[in-house]
């Protein structure tokens, strides 16, 4: 517990953000106030360095615009006019409205909406799941991030950490595939750089010359959404040229003979026609990847965002087995080492509390669900948003805005700031920041468990998400003591402490150092699949997937624990080329009106939409911009710095044109995160993003998105 300190003290914390790096963070406190934060220099992965987002975290905590008290709307929806009220009034209002909605329409008329504003086991992804499952509200299917890639990866190699990220230092060849590491996973870069210093070749595959591509040995530009063609052609060359590790394939894979036949037509020339990558480059890449052992593939999350994103990750997950990369530390594929953490997902989510048959609504449907475009019985009458900012991060922005403006929709938002989404709330609830609460943090980018200790008392009347749901359970009359567990009890029940991965680690030992490496071999000996042992149904790498035969599915972790969904249509059993939906080749008619592919990936200084309201970060990034290749700019008479409209049939937003060879011709890039009401034109790239699903895991298709540019009026 924090007490008033005369001298500066240091509290061990953890960065709360949805980022693979989960930094151990030292929080400096003086007189009950945070004076600064720094990375924990002892931490073997993050090495004392924070990032452009969090190295002044105190500016977020003490920001003059921070939401510190419950508020009631006092102007039209969207106006941002609110009046301070007390917690009791806020909670009583919510309880009264929900009880009457439940009596009239049933609990499914209430929709929770959340994602990863916080990543902790207490306050993160699952914090509201038990409450909403018990309430019987509509289940929210949250396939924002990596749901498609996780499904594909698990279909192929099973839920294995696969590689220790630190073992990349021992790689001889590193492929960064749709991963902007220097911006989105920056603490992994030193391990890549070490490998590079030791002679490894680093290759980046991306339509954009990212910061990482600038430091790589080779940058391969590829048309968005066409990567599966490249991956299949790599297999083709590896098989054709006898570069296969025959004994590894014979012992530890299933489906090889069928794969050989399957990829016969996928020649480099065929792939060049789809991807724009020259056949000669594909030939060389295949040889170098196969022969420079151990070779590693690091995939970003950006990889899954096209019609065939799932099949792409299927293909990439097959590659390491074909060349025997798994034999040594530094070889394999790095997706999410998250699978190494023995989380107690059933206890965190409590799907057992869900009334049978409760309906499920995917988050890409919010705009349609709120406007009646999707027929729902009962309709959504109340929306409860926490840990998320859907107006900026989910597609169909214009329709969502119309839905959020509905007078009869009762919207509650728990937030740090009055975001675009929060402006439409009837009731606002103030959320605590990481320095004001305890939490326990897994990582999806390294193998350390991290403890976050509360450093100061919460500012104003803000409360942690864990406390928010205790308060809601109380006013809704829940009597199960599960809903009133202390933070410490929640931590103790959040993991399977008896699992060997946690041997020797306790909450008490974590309190001393702030973090602990899971009980796994060190990076230079980390080769869990040197002798097979894949956690798939066959125990082998399933080049031909037995899980795929069962139909498409979404992992329970992405849907409040519920796992009944199977959509019937089996996925392809062998990794299969699915062209992008919105691309000049696939849809020439659409491309005639909207000829450019838009990417809207992460920005360097924002964390999704967080920090896009903070002066330091906004200054660094400048206003909403769009990167345009000089050829595409010239043909449209667009010049550097010119305000332009980016548009398609779904919507339009304003941006400043930045003309650069860094983006390939035919592609434009408008970073995600800018707040609409602070932007000219009050719309952002989400206004143009499609709601269509990718092939697996109901992943988004943000990179499968045709647009046109014109000078702004
Ligand atoms: N600075 C910063 N760091 C972050 C975040 C942030 O917002 N800002 N967000 C965090 C989160 S939630 C996530 S999920 C991760 C995401 O981490 P990444 O996956 O690395 O991030 P993205 O920027 O979404 O996408 C990576 C790259 O994919 C490329 N790309 C897009 N479409 C295609 C395609 O079809 N083919 C190929 N080959 N490349 C393509 C983009 O140009 C981009 O350079 O980052 C985390 N870290
Ligand atoms: N076009 C496009 N769209 C994308 C992506 C993309 O690359 N391009 N990326 C997708 C991906 S990978 C992701 S992960 C999602 C991200 O989707 P979100 O997780 O919704 O993204 P954020 O913008 O980080 O919004 C989180 C909100 O939670 C709030 N918050 C933070 N901590 C707390 C807390 O403790 N309590 C409460 N109540 N609130 C808190 C923050 O202030 C912030 O407004 O976006 C997806 N959308
Ligand atoms: Mo994400």
């Amino acid at each position: 517990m924090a007490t008033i300190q005369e001298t500066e003290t240091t509290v061990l914390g953890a960065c709360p953000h949805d980022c693979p790096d989960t930094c151990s963070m030292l929080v400096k406190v003086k007189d009950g106030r945070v004076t600064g934060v720094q990375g924990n220099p002892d931490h073997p992965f993050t090495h004392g360095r924070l990032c452009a987002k969090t190295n002044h975290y105190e500016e977020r905590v003490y920001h003059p615009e921070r939401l510190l008290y419950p508020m009631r709307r006092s102007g039209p929806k969207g106006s941002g006019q609110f009046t301070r009220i007390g917690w009791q009034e806020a909670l009583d209002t919510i309880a009264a409205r929900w009880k009457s909605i439940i009596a009239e329409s049933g609990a499914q008329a209430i929709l929770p909406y959340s994602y990863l504003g916080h990543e902790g086991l207490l306050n993160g992804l699952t914090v509201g799941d038990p409450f909403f499952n018990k309430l019987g509200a509509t289940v929210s299917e949250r396939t924002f991030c990596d749901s498609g890639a996780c499904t594909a990866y698990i279909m192929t190699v099973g839920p294995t950490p696969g590689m220790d990220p630190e073992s990349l230092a021992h790689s001889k060849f590193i492929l960064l595939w749709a991963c902007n590491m220097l911006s989105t996973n920056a603490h992994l870069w030193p391990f890549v750089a070490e490998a590079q210093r030791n002679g490894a070749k680093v290759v980046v595959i991306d339509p954009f010359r990212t910061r990482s591509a600038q430091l790589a040995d080779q940058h391969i530009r590829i048309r968005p959404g066409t990567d599966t063609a490249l991956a299949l052609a790599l297999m083709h060359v590896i098989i054709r040229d006898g570069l296969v590790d025959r004994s590894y394939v014979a012992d530890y894979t299933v489906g090889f003979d069928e794969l050989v036949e399957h990829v016969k037509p996928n020649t480099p020339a065929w792939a060049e026609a789809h991807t724009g990558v020259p056949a000669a480059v594909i030939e060389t890449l295949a040889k170098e990847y196969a022969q420079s052992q151990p070779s590693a593939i690091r995939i970003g999350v950006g990889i899954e965002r096209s019609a065939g994103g799932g099949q792409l990750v299927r293909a990439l997950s097959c590659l390491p087995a074909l060349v025997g990369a798994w034999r040594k530390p530094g070889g394999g594929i790095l997706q999410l080492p998250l699978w190494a953490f023995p989380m107690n997902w059933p206890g965190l989510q409590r799907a057992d509390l869900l009334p049978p048959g409760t309906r499920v609504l995917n988050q890409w449907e919010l705009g349609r669900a709120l406007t009646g475009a999707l027929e729902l019985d009962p309709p959504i009458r109340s929306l409860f948003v926490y840990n998320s900012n859907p107006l900026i991060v989910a597609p169909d922005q214009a329709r969502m805005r119309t839905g959020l403006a509905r007078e009869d929709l009762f919207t509650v938002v728990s937030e740090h700031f009055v975001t675009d989404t929060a402006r439409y709330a009837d009731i606002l609830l103030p959320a605590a920041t990481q320095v004001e609460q305890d939490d326990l943090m897994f990582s999806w980018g390294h193998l350390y468990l991290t403890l976050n200790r509360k450093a100061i008392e919460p500012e104003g009347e803000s409360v942690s998400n864990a406390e928010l749901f205790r308060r809601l359970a109380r006013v809704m009359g829940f009597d199960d003591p599960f809903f009133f567990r202390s933070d410490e009890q929640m931590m103790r029940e959040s993991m399977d402490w008896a699992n060997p991965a946690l041997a020797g680690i306790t909450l008490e030992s974590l309190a001393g150092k702030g973090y602990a490496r899971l009980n796994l071999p060190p990076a230079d000996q980390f080769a869990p699949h040197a002798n097979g042992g894949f956690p798939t149904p066959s125990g082998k790498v399933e080049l031909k997937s037995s899980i795929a035969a069962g139909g498409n599915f979404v992992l329970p972790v992405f849907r409040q624990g519920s796992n009944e969904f199977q959509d019937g249509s089996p996925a392809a059993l062998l990794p299969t080329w699915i062209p992008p939906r919105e691309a000049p080749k696939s849809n020439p008619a659409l491309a005639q009106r909207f000829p450019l592919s838009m990417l809207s990936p992460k920005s360097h200084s924002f964390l999704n939409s967080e920090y896009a309201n903070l002066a330091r970060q906004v200054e660094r990034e400048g206003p909403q911009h769009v990167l345009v290749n000089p050829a595409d700019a010239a043909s449209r008479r667009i010049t550097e710095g010119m305000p332009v409209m980016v548009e398609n049939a779904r919507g339009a937003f304003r941006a400043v044109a930045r003309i650069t060879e860094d983006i390939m011709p035919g592609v434009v890039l408008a970073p995600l995160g800018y707040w609409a009401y602070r932007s000219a034109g009050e719309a952002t790239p989400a206004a143009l993003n499609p709601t269509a699903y990718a092939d697996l895991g109901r992943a988004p298709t943000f990179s499968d998105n045709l647009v046109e540019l014109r000078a702004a009026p």
Side-chain angles (χ1 to χ4, degrees):
M1 293 296 286
T3 50
I4 301 289
Q5 306 287 341
E6 310 252 302
T7 51
E8 194 171 72
T9 55
T10 300
V11 179
L12 290 166
C15 175
H17 290 307
D18 180 9
C19 166
D21 295 7
T22 312
C23 295
S24 171
M25 187 162 91
L26 305 183
V27 181
K28 307 279 179 198
V29 181
K30 193 166 182 220
D31 298 334
R33 277 182 75 84
V34 174
T35 54
V37 295
Q38 73 175 73
N40 184 343
D42 296 339
H43 196 276
F45 187 79
T46 54
H47 282 300
R49 213 164 46 79
L50 294 178
C51 68
K53 293 148 325 234
T54 50
N55 56 15
H56 290 278
Y57 191 74
E58 69 284 0
E59 293 176 354
R60 187 172 180 87
V61 177
Y62 298 116
H63 196 282
E65 289 168 15
R66 192 172 149 203
L67 177 63
L68 292 177
Y69 303 97
M71 301 272 186
R72 180 190 282 283
R73 180 165 63 86
S74 55
K77 291 205 175 190
S79 67
Q81 294 165 36
F82 295 94
T83 310
R84 182 176 165 183
I85 56 173
W87 264 102
Q88 202 52 52
E89 185 182 341
L91 291 167
D92 289 345
T93 306
I94 295 168
R97 283 298 292 269
W98 279 0
K99 283 175 184 166
S100 79
I101 288 172
I102 292 168
E104 291 162 16
S105 310
Q108 294 189 105
I110 300 169
L111 177 70
Y113 202 101
S114 69
Y115 199 60
L116 272 174
H118 196 286
E119 202 182 276
L121 285 168
L122 263 59
N123 297 297
L125 185 67
T126 57
V127 58
D129 292 356
F131 173 83
F132 286 110
N133 285 345
K134 168 83 183 161
L135 196 65
T138 294
V139 168
S140 207
E141 188 173 75
R142 304 172 288 223
T143 54
F144 266 127
C145 179
D146 236 23
S147 165
C150 289
T151 305
Y153 177 86
I154 287 173
M155 278 178 169
T156 316
V157 294
T160 166
M163 293 184 70
D164 179 344
E166 292 171 59
S167 71
L168 281 183
H170 306 287
S171 302
K172 289 283 173 273
F173 190 90
I174 301 177
L175 250 176
L176 303 182
W177 206 313
C179 174
N180 185 8
M181 192 179 284
L182 274 159
S183 288
T184 59
N185 182 193
H187 297 86
L188 185 51
W189 182 263
F191 299 92
V192 173
E194 188 182 335
Q196 206 179 21
R197 276 196 303 279
N198 293 333
K201 181 167 180 179
V202 178
V203 180
V204 166
I205 301 180
D206 200 304
F208 174 43
R209 191 164 164 267
T210 56
R211 284 165 192 254
S212 318
Q214 290 169 30
L215 294 187
D217 299 290
Q218 186 182 4
H219 173 209
I220 297 175
R221 301 197 305 195
I222 188 164
R223 292 187 194 127
T226 67
D227 305 64
T228 313
L230 173 57
L232 295 175
L234 294 179
M235 292 185 185
H236 174 99
V237 176
I238 287 166
I239 293 169
R240 182 199 68 196
D241 291 359
L243 301 170
V244 172
D245 182 331
R246 292 235 151 233
S247 77
Y248 195 90
V249 164
D251 293 346
Y252 307 126
T253 72
V254 290
F256 180 69
D257 293 342
E258 283 157 278
L259 185 74
V260 168
E261 288 307 309
H262 182 71
V263 300
K264 271 202 175 133
N266 304 130
T267 61
W270 168 84
E272 175 175 343
H274 289 291
T275 60
V277 180
V281 171
I282 300 175
E283 296 272 357
T284 307
L285 179 66
K287 285 181 194 116
E288 289 181 347
Y289 169 72
Q291 292 178 326
S292 320
Q293 290 305 322
S295 60
I297 302 175
R298 168 56 164 167
I299 55 173
V301 172
I303 205 157
E304 66 173 8
R305 301 188 188 126
S306 293
Q311 288 301 322
L312 169 58
V313 176
R314 278 272 294 125
L316 296 180
S317 306
C318 292
L319 277 167
L322 294 185
V323 300
W326 291 112
R327 288 187 187 278
K328 290 191 198 142
I333 182 167
L334 176 58
Q335 193 241 0
L336 299 184
L338 165 70
W339 309 116
F341 291 80
M343 256 92 76
N344 173 14
W345 291 118
L348 286 162
Q349 299 195 285
R350 295 297 309 270
D352 57 298
L353 297 172
L354 260 177
T358 304
R359 75 177 171 199
V360 176
L361 192 66
N362 186 279
Q363 294 198 298
W364 310 136
E365 305 280 9
L366 185 63
R368 283 200 289 258
L370 294 183
T371 51
L374 197 69
E375 258 181 59
L376 292 173
D377 181 21
I380 303 300
R381 297 183 57 192
S382 178
L383 178 69
F384 189 94
V385 182
Y386 61 102
N387 276 350
S388 190
N389 186 8
L391 258 179
I392 304 305
V393 299
D396 221 6
Q397 190 176 70
R399 204 184 327 227
M400 202 191 303
R401 199 184 277 288
T402 306
L404 288 171
R406 250 175 56 195
E407 265 314 312
D408 65 330
L409 180 73
F410 176 63
T411 301
V412 182
V413 178
S414 160
E415 255 299 347
H416 291 158
F417 290 100
V418 184
T419 60
D420 282 283
T421 309
R423 282 162 80 89
Y424 287 86
D426 295 285
I427 300 284
L428 283 175
L429 302 172
T433 65
Q434 184 75 330
V435 293
E436 299 159 325
Q437 63 196 10
D438 287 323
D439 213 325
L440 184 62
M441 316 282 306
F442 62 79
S443 164
W444 50 280
H446 59 62
L447 297 173
Y448 300 82
L449 183 64
T450 314
L451 182 68
N452 179 73
R453 300 312 303 266
K454 177 174 168 178
I456 57 166
E457 289 303 322
E459 287 288 291
E461 293 179 2
S462 62
V463 302
S464 69
N465 291 338
E467 172 61 16
L468 167 65
F469 283 101
R470 285 191 281 262
R471 291 184 182 190
L472 287 170
R474 203 166 295 123
V475 289
M476 290 309 287
F478 292 6
D479 49 18
D480 183 343
F482 178 84
F483 292 100
F484 306 102
R485 294 171 305 157
S486 67
D487 284 356
E488 187 183 324
Q489 197 180 349
M490 288 172 74
M491 282 192 211
R492 293 200 189 280
E493 293 172 11
S494 64
M495 302 196 76
D496 170 15
W497 295 93
N499 187 291
L502 292 180
I505 305 172
T506 61
L507 282 180
E508 291 68 27
S509 72
L510 281 171
K513 208 164 152 198
Y515 64 89
R517 183 176 164 93
L518 297 180
N519 179 35
L520 295 168
D524 60 355
Q525 292 161 39
F526 198 94
H529 305 303
N531 301 304
F534 292 91
T536 55
S538 61
K540 299 181 177 189
V541 176
E542 299 208 351
L543 308 172
K544 181 178 178 183
S545 167
S546 61
I547 295 177
N552 198 349
F553 65 96
V554 172
L555 294 165
V557 57
F558 297 113
R559 42 179 6 236
Q560 289 178 218
S562 89
N563 66 353
E564 287 152 40
F565 169 71
Q566 291 274 327
D567 86 352
S569 60
L573 303 188
L574 291 159
T576 295
W577 162 237
I578 298 176
R581 239 176 244 125
E582 296 193 9
K585 242 177 128 92
S586 331
N587 193 341
L590 184 67
Q592 230 177 7
R593 291 169 63 206
F594 306 111
L596 301 167
S597 291
M598 182 179 81
L599 306 177
S600 48
K602 316 299 186 184
S603 75
H604 186 76
S605 312
F606 307 149
L607 193 283
N608 300 320
S609 74
E610 291 177 71
Y611 298 94
N613 61 326
L614 267 61
R616 179 185 300 273
Q617 284 82 0
V618 172
E619 225 160 80
R620 218 181 139 140
E621 294 295 317
Q624 173 82 60
H625 52 273
V626 59
L627 306 185
V628 192
N629 183 273
D632 295 318
S635 61
R636 291 170 179 77
R637 296 171 192 265
I638 288 167
T639 53
E640 175 66 23
M642 187 187 256
V644 294
M645 296 305 295
V646 187
E647 57 194 11
N648 63 15
R650 289 178 285 265
F653 68 94
R654 246 179 127 91
V656 172
R658 287 196 191 156
I659 298 173
T660 169
E661 293 281 359
D662 287 347
I663 191 77
M664 69 189 284
V667 182
V668 295
L669 185 150
L672 165 80
Y674 288 94
W675 289 25
Y677 86 88
R678 292 166 182 256
S679 303
E682 304 224 337
T684 66
L688 277 60
N689 285 157
T691 52
Y693 300 127
D695 57 326
L696 291 180
R698 295 198 192 263
T701 51
F702 302 134
S703 293
D704 197 338
N705 193 2
L706 284 174
V707 305
E708 178 56 304
L709 290 192
R710 61 179 168 87

